[in-house]
Amino acid sequence: MERINKRVLWIDTRQQDKKHILKHQYFERMGYKLIRSKLYSGDYMLLGGTYSVDTKANIAEIATNIDQQHARFRQELINAREAEIKLTILIENKNKIESLEDLANWTESDAEFAKRKYAIRRLSGLRLAKAMQTMSSKYGASFVFCAPKYAGQKVLEILEGEFK
């Protein structure tokens, strides 16, 4: 019975479906049945699991969440912790950032910040990394980075890690 549970992937209905086609095609190729439903926390969760992944399209999106939407974002982290959901924030990026250390050393001129339409003011990589470290220690959320082409694979690695 456990094998069947691991093959059903819940996708949050609030996520814009057409922006995640590559990830969803990857999940289907890997043998997962995709079911859209409103999730309490995150964008993806395996049936019967307590791990959840919330995807961010780029560093600019997470910067906006932390800077301009701080109260709402913080509440999402608190809700996940209180529901005993292990939440991972997966930040897709083309800047070759793979860790908080990489982010701390990253400069605004390197990235999407120059063209971003999200936040009004710019945040340094160091400030973002510190905010993520604080949120991780306070609320138990993890922050993971990957290139967009590996996002589907990374989501499954995180979620399947619970069952290994």
Side-chain angles (χ1 to χ4, degrees), residues 105-117:
N105 294 319
W106 178 70
T107 61
E108 295 175 34
S109 61
D110 290 342
E112 303 113 34
F113 280 103
K115 297 178 183 175
R116 88 175 136 138
K117 54 188 172 189

Side-chain angles (χ1 to χ4, degrees), residues 87-126:
L87 181 62
T88 299
I89 312 300
L90 177 62
I91 302 128
E92 300 176 35
N93 73 93
K94 296 177 182 175
N95 304 315
K96 299 180 182 169
I97 293 173
E98 298 177 355
S99 67
L100 287 177
E101 184 178 329
D102 290 346
L103 181 61
N105 294 319
W106 178 70
T107 61
E108 295 175 34
S109 61
D110 290 342
E112 303 113 34
F113 280 103
K115 297 178 183 175
R116 88 175 136 138
K117 54 188 172 189
Y118 300 101
I120 294 169
R121 64 190 181 114
R122 295 178 179 192
L123 296 178
S124 71
L126 179 61

Side-chain angles (χ1 to χ4, degrees), residues 48-106:
T50 58
Y51 284 28
S52 182
V53 176
D54 189 19
T55 55
K56 302 299 176 188
N58 50 43
I59 295 168
E61 183 178 0
I62 189 66
T64 300
N65 289 159
I66 289 172
D67 186 39
Q68 294 181 337
Q69 302 166 354
H70 186 80
R72 180 197 56 79
F73 185 65
R74 183 171 127 315
Q75 191 60 51
E76 285 181 27
L77 301 180
I78 291 168
N79 290 346
R81 181 187 65 194
E82 289 176 352
E84 298 182 6
I85 294 170
K86 173 69 174 132
L87 181 62
T88 299
I89 312 300
L90 177 62
I91 302 128
E92 300 176 35
N93 73 93
K94 296 177 182 175
N95 304 315
K96 299 180 182 169
I97 293 173
E98 298 177 355
S99 67
L100 287 177
E101 184 178 329
D102 290 346
L103 181 61
N105 294 319
W106 178 70

Side-chain angles (χ1 to χ4, degrees), residues 6-7 32 46 155-164:
K6 288 199 289 185
R7 290 293 178 197
Y32 284 86
L46 290 178
V155 167
L156 291 183
E157 284 175 15
I158 294 165
L159 295 177
E160 290 175 343
E162 175 177 22
F163 293 99
K164 290 183 180 175

